[in-house]
Amino acid sequence: MRYVAYGVFTIFFSLIILPSIIVFGFNFHKTFSVPSQEIKLVDNGKLVKLEDTSNYKTINVFITNQNKIQKMDLEEYVKGVVAAEMPAEFEMEALKAQAVAARTYALSKEIALGGKGCELHPGADVCADSEHCQAWQSEGELRQKWGENFDKYYAKISQAVEDTRGLVLVYDDALIVPAYHAISGGKTENSEDVWQSKIPYLRSVVSPGEEVASKYKTTVIVSKEEFINKLKQKEPSLKLDNSNILTQIKDVERTQVGHVKTLKIGNITFNGKDIKEIFDLNSTNFSFEAQGNNIVITVIGYGHGVGMSQYGANAMAKQGKKFDEILKYYYTGIEIVKIEDLLKIQH
Ligand SMILES: [Zn+2]
């Protein structure tokens, strides 16, 4: 009897809620908003019997804007994800890396959760909502988005998916959780610094070449009054003087990469994530500055910073690196296998 252990899911996710495992979709296209919802992977706690992978050639996708579940070919689904999650202008090898990550994510939800992958939509393995599972766009939506470039871009994305057909990422004989994000800010995060759980393949690595991204560094400017009001909406008991606000911001605890874990503002301790949500920041790697009557918040990077940096992947591809090298760089110690070969793993 052959089994594939999805125990890794159990180990990492049992009773643990991983906040937005996946993605920060690209915000060039406003349709891909920043996911803030938490993804819960239920504890299935079992080995999944995999005698036949033919079941996994299709996937049930909840199409959010049509409010229906559609069964589709897995590879066709992956095309719609790559097209939605990464700019088509990116290098071919980066698109291929994205295709393998997207396929792995979809399959992990499909297999490990056996039809309940997207807990928001019963019967669906995944949904097309980037705030919950991963973004997906239909051909119609892509025609609209790409206009006259549709044929060229669709052919390019299709090639990236075809060239990696059936390939998925595994660690310790189990599918991985292929977290990815847009821009790390120069170095990716260790998983435990962001989500508490130490995941062996989600290790911090330097991620050069991201600076070309227009959203590498962004600023949000709010008046001092607005700054205080917004914080008070979240924490009504906040005490913060309008004068010398910066001196009342203390104990800023950062990850080694620079993302804010916690900080004290006035009498209240906030999580970096709270501040990110309150001021709609692109990441938790932020700093404050006072300018006249305003507070300027400078933000580095885009997304949670764990796993593959999409801009970093593109920079590697520009340097001639292949998709497998990119994936092995951002996911420490993983292997790339064909879905069919999952059958050959003996337990
Ligand atoms: Zn979902």
Side-chain angles (χ1 to χ4, degrees):
M1 201 67 86
R2 289 167 171 177
Y3 293 92
V4 173
Y6 289 96
V8 166
F9 267 87
T10 309
I11 293 162
F12 295 135
F13 295 100
S14 75
L15 307 176
I16 292 168
I17 296 166
L18 277 192
S20 52
I21 290 170
I22 290 292
V23 208
F24 272 57
F26 280 83
N27 234 24
F28 310 142
H29 321 289
K30 266 293 175 193
T31 47
F32 317 136
S33 54
V34 178
S36 54
Q37 298 264 342
E38 293 174 328
I39 294 176
K40 295 177 195 169
L41 289 180
V42 295
D43 176 10
N44 61 325
K46 63 183 184 211
L47 295 173
V48 174
K49 196 168 143 187
L50 250 195
E51 291 181 316
D52 179 7
T53 49
S54 60
N55 287 344
Y56 304 113
K57 290 195 163 53
T58 58
I59 186 159
N60 290 319
V61 182
F62 183 84
I63 304 175
T64 314
N65 55 14
Q66 295 174 28
N67 201 33
K68 67 166 190 194
I69 294 175
Q70 192 178 316
K71 185 175 186 166
M72 53 183 98
D73 179 86
L74 177 65
E75 298 298 326
E76 289 303 310
Y77 163 74
V78 172
K79 288 177 192 174
V81 175
V82 175
E85 292 285 5
M86 189 176 257
E89 296 84 357
F90 270 27
E91 298 290 319
M92 179 57 78
E93 294 299 318
L95 292 166
K96 285 190 203 169
Q98 180 69 60
V100 179
R103 185 183 296 109
T104 303
Y105 177 73
L107 203 70
S108 68
K109 289 213 127 190
E110 187 174 15
I111 293 180
L113 301 173
K116 293 178 295 197
C118 174
E119 72 275 14
L120 285 187
H121 304 292
D125 298 307
V126 287
C127 71
D129 182 355
S130 70
E131 299 205 17
H132 190 252
C133 290
Q134 53 188 357
W136 172 88
Q137 287 183 307
S138 68
E139 200 184 304
E141 287 170 305
L142 294 172
R143 275 185 195 280
Q144 225 170 10
K145 177 168 92 172
W146 288 332
E148 60 183 17
N149 287 320
F150 175 82
D151 287 341
K152 183 173 82 178
Y153 286 166
Y154 199 78
K156 188 176 174 189
I157 301 284
S158 296
Q159 195 195 326
V161 175
E162 292 294 340
D163 287 356
T164 62
R165 174 173 279 273
L167 295 180
V168 289
L169 305 171
V170 296
Y171 182 92
D172 231 2
D173 295 349
L175 291 168
I176 73 162
V177 175
Y180 56 89
H181 59 276
I183 305 162
S184 76
K187 196 174 183 189
T188 68
E189 288 281 8
N190 286 316
S191 61
E192 65 273 23
D193 286 335
V194 179
W195 298 322
Q196 276 97 47
S197 343
K198 185 170 181 179
I199 299 179
Y201 50 83
L202 297 177
R203 300 295 88 208
S204 176
V205 295
V206 291
S207 184
E210 298 175 342
E211 304 77 13
V212 296
S214 61
K215 299 205 170 174
Y216 183 82
K217 186 176 177 180
T218 48
T219 52
V220 170
I221 301 172
V222 289
S223 70
K224 288 179 177 172
E225 204 174 43
E226 202 184 342
F227 185 77
I228 295 171
N229 287 343
K230 285 194 159 176
L231 290 170
K232 274 191 173 167
Q233 275 172 19
K234 171 87 182 169
E235 286 291 344
S237 59
L238 174 75
K239 290 188 175 56
L240 186 61
D241 277 349
N242 198 316
S243 56
N244 293 322
I245 285 179
L246 291 194
T247 62
Q248 300 166 75
I249 300 178
K250 291 176 188 152
D251 305 335
V252 182
E253 198 196 327
R254 293 179 185 272
T255 65
Q256 52 146 333
V257 176
H259 289 253
V260 175
K261 286 180 161 178
T262 55
L263 78 173
K264 198 169 178 190
I265 305 179
N267 58 326
I268 301 284
T269 298
F270 290 88
N271 289 321
K273 258 199 305 181
D274 295 333
I275 302 300
K276 174 180 167 294
E277 270 164 37
I278 292 168
F279 297 104
D280 197 19
L281 309 178
N282 286 345
S283 86
T284 53
N285 188 346
F286 54 79
S287 54
F288 301 107
E289 224 179 306
Q291 271 180 18
N293 194 41
N294 292 329
I295 298 291
V296 178
I297 312 174
T298 302
V299 184
I300 303 293
Y302 197 145
H304 48 57
V306 183
M308 182 173 73
S309 156
Q310 292 167 309
Y311 266 92
N314 200 41
M316 285 183 76
K318 276 186 198 296
Q319 288 184 340
K321 295 283 191 278
K322 301 295 178 201
F323 77 94
D324 54 324
E325 295 174 290
I326 295 169
L327 290 164
K328 285 179 175 171
Y329 182 76
Y330 282 106
Y331 302 115
T332 310
I334 55 108
E335 286 174 81
I336 302 169
V337 300
K338 279 207 161 269
I339 295 171
E340 291 76 21
D341 293 338
L342 288 169
L343 280 171
K344 295 177 190 148
I345 297 169
Q346 300 279 335
H347 285 274

